[in-house]
Amino acid sequence: MMVVGGGVWPAIQGWFADITGSMTISFAVHFLTFGAMIVYAYHYIKHPFDGLAKETKATK
């Protein structure tokens, strides 16, 4: 995922900078990715993955 993020998001940021004409505004692309990570982290904190533990208990 890091390779894809490091290869794709800068290109999308450049495309957004070309459309808006502002390099400063184009950094909003990174805010979207950081926002997605925050949402994922919040969801994981509220609903931790313990599927392996449930599967082990079910097989015993």
Side-chain angles (χ1 to χ4, degrees):
M1 291 304 289
M2 289 181 357
V3 173
V4 172
V8 173
W9 286 113
I12 293 173
Q13 180 184 4
W15 172 76
F16 196 68
D18 289 340
I19 288 176
T20 62
S22 171
M23 191 65 187
T24 305
I25 296 174
S26 71
F27 279 98
V29 171
H30 296 290
F31 285 125
L32 295 174
T33 58
F34 293 139
M37 288 189 290
I38 289 170
V39 168
Y40 178 76
Y42 178 76
H43 178 74
Y44 182 77
I45 289 169
K46 292 294 181 183
H47 309 284
F49 177 74
D50 59 348
L52 297 175
K54 288 180 183 176
E55 183 177 314
T56 325
K57 290 177 185 175
T59 57
K60 289 184 178 181

